[in-house]
Amino acid sequence: MNDHFRTPATVPPQACAMPRRRTRTVRVGGVVVGSAAPVVVQSMTNTDTADAIGTARQVAQLARAGSEVVRITVNNEESAAAVPAIVEQLHKLGVSVPLVGDFHYNGHTLLQQYPECAQLLAKYRINPGNVGKGAKRDAQFSAIVEQAIRWDKPVRIGVNWGSLDQSVLARMMDENAKRAEPWDAGAVMREALVVSALESAQLAEDIGLPGDRIILSAKVSSVQDLIAVYRELGRRCDYPLHLGLTEAGMGSKGIVASTAALSVLLQEGIGDTIRVSLTPEPDGDRRQEVIVAQEILQTMGLRAFTPMVTACPGCGRTTSTFFQQLASDIQSYVRDQMPTWREHFDGVENMTLAVMGCVVNGPGESKHASIGISLPGTGESPAAPVYEDGVKTVTLRGDNIAAEFRDLVDRYIARTYRAKQGHAAGADPAPSTASTEH
């Protein structure tokens, strides 16, 4: 994998509304997690891990979309045995994104029986509620932690309210019953999540895992519960925290719910890695969860991944759909070109674009963008002024406006952003056929 997948840009500290909660620093392969680094974007495959080629392809797609860490299910012997083949395929594809093994129920045996799997994974995810019951729980948890120590791997202790350690919950309920003023059931559940995560982390350290090898998460599917749990978890420890609204749902519901929950916590400086857990449409694009996570961070001013396109919603002044199509085309063009731009130019992810539909806000928004175009509204003069860094540089006319504007965007990038070492900026493209009305 190219370095730009691992070393994402961040915006100046003053752009952040609140300082990050201070944490320990954990290394997951080549990715740094914690308050000393930008918030990391994660995702997870939904392939059968035993299908090494299919899984490697999806991992590569997610990594190229911007996922800096990718989690895979390791639930049986076939999937554990496939990990070396997955890593080999990724190397052939030029991708070396850190892989996290997601273990439930039998992780203690799989990691022992398949040492190459244990060695190649960059991190292990352990769910304290699913490592074993009764007397087996601590022994099987310890076995996973011992493998992490052996192979010098970090772990994410990931508590989930759908599989909460019942012994911890029962203890919390007993303690609650003795209170003069008992908490409601929701408060008890939230406390049990926090306690399960913290006690499991302490047990891992007691076994011998260094504290800078531990990341915590406590996922729920309710926005308000997630905010409450992570606020408390953040207050009571300095481990890095992985954020995610579990079972967020499909489409707009999942996007809105995840954005609502994660944005509040990130605004308060809580969260060091995030995943947006969207249920894809049948045969849907898994990369959507990566794009949404990036857009949450970028619209909040916490990270920069790709140039942002501003476009107006349209009104009675914009009865033509041309500007909508141009905005869509430019957004797609930016995402398609970004891997190449990022490889060749420093800072291009901070560029902003505007595609506006009429004279009311069009020129103003275009002036605020790095490069923007103000299209004519209904009944307006058929001319589209283009602004670069606040100055009108050209007016486009005719039937080829979309292609000419893309050409201007390419020229702006080549002229504005410093070429990375080893990549010449290249000759300026042929002059545009646009009229040069300054």
Side-chain angles (χ1 to χ4, degrees):
M1 183 182 68
N2 293 328
D3 286 345
H4 61 255
F5 288 130
R6 293 195 192 181
T7 314
T10 186
V11 295
Q14 62 267 25
C16 301
M18 292 187 66
R20 286 274 293 283
R21 161 186 166 270
R22 296 192 65 176
T23 75
R24 311 178 194 203
T25 297
V26 178
R27 291 189 174 272
V28 180
V31 173
V32 178
V33 177
S35 58
V39 179
V40 171
V41 172
Q42 298 193 24
S43 61
M44 185 175 184
T45 60
N46 61 356
T47 56
D48 179 357
T49 306
D51 174 8
I53 292 180
T55 299
R57 284 176 179 166
Q58 190 175 86
V59 170
Q61 289 172 349
L62 292 167
R64 287 168 178 157
S67 183
E68 295 149 327
V69 176
V70 179
R71 183 159 46 116
I72 61 175
T73 297
V74 186
N75 60 328
N76 52 37
E77 293 187 6
E78 292 78 13
S79 62
V83 169
I86 293 168
V87 172
E88 181 181 0
Q89 288 296 320
L90 289 172
H91 286 167
K92 290 179 180 178
L93 293 169
V95 175
S96 58
V97 64
L99 293 180
V100 178
D102 195 51
F103 294 99
H104 297 270
Y105 310 112
N106 57 358
H108 58 292
T109 58
L110 294 176
L111 287 168
Q112 291 173 330
Q113 292 173 3
Y114 294 89
E116 196 171 2
C117 166
Q119 182 179 12
L120 290 172
L121 292 171
K123 184 175 71 175
Y124 311 151
R125 187 275 177 121
I126 313 172
N127 183 339
N130 288 340
V131 294
K133 296 182 179 179
K136 294 182 178 180
R137 188 265 182 192
D138 285 357
Q140 292 175 182
F141 180 88
S142 298
I144 298 175
V145 172
E146 286 165 0
Q147 290 297 310
I149 295 170
R150 176 186 178 187
W151 298 109
D152 194 24
K153 304 294 182 180
V155 301
R156 171 161 70 92
I157 297 173
V159 182
N160 191 301
W161 74 348
S163 52
L164 182 59
D165 187 334
Q166 294 303 298
S167 64
V168 174
L169 180 58
R171 191 175 87 231
M172 296 293 100
M173 292 175 66
D174 288 343
E175 292 177 2
N176 188 54
K178 298 174 183 177
R179 289 190 174 96
E181 297 183 8
W183 298 352
D184 62 43
V188 176
M189 174 71 80
R190 291 191 293 271
E191 177 67 8
L193 285 162
V194 173
V195 169
S196 179
L198 294 176
E199 289 186 349
S200 297
Q202 184 59 57
L203 176 58
E205 289 204 54
D206 291 344
I207 294 166
L209 186 68
D212 62 357
R213 296 289 189 277
I214 298 172
I215 297 170
L216 298 185
S217 67
K219 293 189 175 183
V220 301
S221 57
S222 162
V223 169
Q224 295 298 340
D225 285 326
L226 189 85
I227 292 169
V229 166
Y230 273 93
R231 280 174 173 165
E232 189 62 18
L233 192 57
R235 187 183 69 82
R236 287 158 68 172
C237 74
D238 65 351
Y239 298 111
L241 300 180
H242 170 70
L243 303 185
L245 191 74
T246 191
E247 288 89 42
M250 298 181 73
S252 61
K253 186 271 180 184
I255 293 172
V256 170
S258 294
T259 303
L262 272 55
S263 296
V264 170
L265 292 167
L266 291 166
Q267 185 73 7
E268 296 178 3
I270 299 170
D272 305 288
T273 77
I274 66 170
R275 181 196 172 197
V276 176
S277 301
L278 299 179
T279 304
E281 300 286 345
D283 299 319
D285 192 339
R286 191 68 165 179
R287 292 174 295 180
Q288 185 186 22
E289 67 176 49
V290 179
I291 292 170
V292 173
Q294 289 180 329
E295 289 180 346
I296 289 172
L297 293 173
Q298 185 150 352
T299 55
M300 293 185 69
L302 300 175
R303 293 281 302 272
F305 297 94
T306 190
M308 298 289 284
V309 178
T310 298
C312 63
C315 67
R317 290 176 174 270
T318 56
T319 53
S320 167
T321 60
F322 178 74
F323 91 91
Q324 299 168 13
Q325 187 61 53
L326 179 58
S328 177
D329 289 348
I330 287 296
Q331 181 71 73
S332 298
Y333 182 70
V334 165
R335 285 208 169 273
D336 290 344
Q337 293 296 112
M338 190 58 200
T340 301
W341 290 342
R342 187 189 293 114
E343 184 177 350
H344 288 79
F345 299 103
D346 276 324
V348 68
E349 62 277 353
N350 295 301
M351 182 176 69
T352 58
L353 300 95
V355 179
M356 303 299 294
C358 78
V359 73
V360 174
N361 292 320
E365 285 286 357
S366 296
K367 290 176 183 178
H368 287 307
S370 303
I371 179 169
I373 184 169
S374 178
L375 296 168
T378 304
E380 294 176 9
S381 175
V386 174
Y387 297 83
E388 298 182 16
D389 297 321
V391 178
K392 187 172 78 169
T393 57
V394 67
T395 296
L396 305 182
R397 293 183 173 87
D399 299 326
N400 202 32
I401 288 178
E404 290 179 354
F405 184 63
R406 286 196 300 270
D407 180 59
L408 290 172
V409 170
D410 287 332
R411 292 184 182 203
Y412 179 86
I413 290 170
R415 187 173 63 252
T416 304
Y417 296 99
R418 183 171 59 86
K420 289 188 175 180
Q421 188 173 3
H423 295 284
D428 196 47
S432 169
T433 57
S435 73
T436 54
E437 187 179 290
H438 295 280

